[in-house]
Amino acid sequence: QVQLVESGGGLVQAGDSLRLSCVASGRIFDFSIMGWFRQAPGKERVFVAAIKWNGANPYYGDSVMGRFTISRDMTKNTVSLQMNNLNPEDTAVYYCGVTVRAGSTRFSDYRYWGQGTQVTVSS
């Protein structure tokens, strides 16, 4: 059983930065992938970024490439998402999840999810 808790969301202006955290508890295998997804009102949950639990091989969705950075704190059971140069299109609830399917960008592949944290970006 895995539990995930996201934090760090808030209300910011366009161009600002936020850093989200996902704290994990329970059994996570070394080969697992930790991913961030986001879901805006009335829209589907879409891929943002992911990284291996060992901190290797980060990968990103096209819309956040060059602006967001995912990382694993190897001293803690935590994965962070540094979000720079935010724009209103980034407004969504951000979720972290765990999958064993390497390279996955599909939310249906992720077995466990947190409750999400709200990010709102004003113009």
Side-chain angles (χ1 to χ4, degrees), residues 13-28:
Q13 294 183 333
D16 286 351
S17 298
L18 280 174
R19 187 175 181 87
L20 307 183
S21 294
C22 177
V23 179
S25 62
R27 178 64 165 157
I28 301 178

Side-chain angles (χ1 to χ4, degrees), residues 73-85:
D73 184 344
M74 300 306 297
T75 67
K76 304 176 181 178
N77 290 334
T78 301
V79 172
S80 297
L81 184 69
Q82 179 66 43
M83 306 185 295
N84 296 329
N85 195 24

Side-chain angles (χ1 to χ4, degrees), residues 1-55:
Q1 185 67 43
V2 175
Q3 289 186 305
L4 307 170
V5 180
E6 304 96 336
S7 63
L11 174 62
V12 298
Q13 294 183 333
D16 286 351
S17 298
L18 280 174
R19 187 175 181 87
L20 307 183
S21 294
C22 177
V23 179
S25 62
R27 178 64 165 157
I28 301 178
F29 298 105
D30 290 341
F31 53 81
S32 295
I33 304 295
M34 182 74 73
W36 285 96
F37 288 70
R38 65 189 185 187
Q39 188 166 23
K43 297 187 177 181
E44 65 185 9
R45 189 172 300 187
V46 299
F47 175 76
V48 175
I51 192 170
K52 288 183 177 180
W53 188 237
N54 67 5

Side-chain angles (χ1 to χ4, degrees), residues 58-118:
Y59 55 100
Y60 301 89
D62 291 341
S63 64
V64 306
M65 183 74 70
R67 298 189 297 123
F68 291 10
T69 303
I70 188 171
S71 61
R72 163 80 196 280
D73 184 344
M74 300 306 297
T75 67
K76 304 176 181 178
N77 290 334
T78 301
V79 172
S80 297
L81 184 69
Q82 179 66 43
M83 306 185 295
N84 296 329
N85 195 24
L86 288 162
N87 59 64
E89 289 69 44
D90 297 316
T91 295
V93 177
Y94 284 70
Y95 300 90
C96 63
V98 177
T99 184
V100 297
R101 301 196 66 171
S104 175
T105 62
R106 308 186 74 88
F107 77 91
S108 59
D109 289 338
Y110 286 71
R111 174 66 178 85
Y112 300 102
W113 294 98
Q115 293 297 314
T117 184
Q118 176 72 50

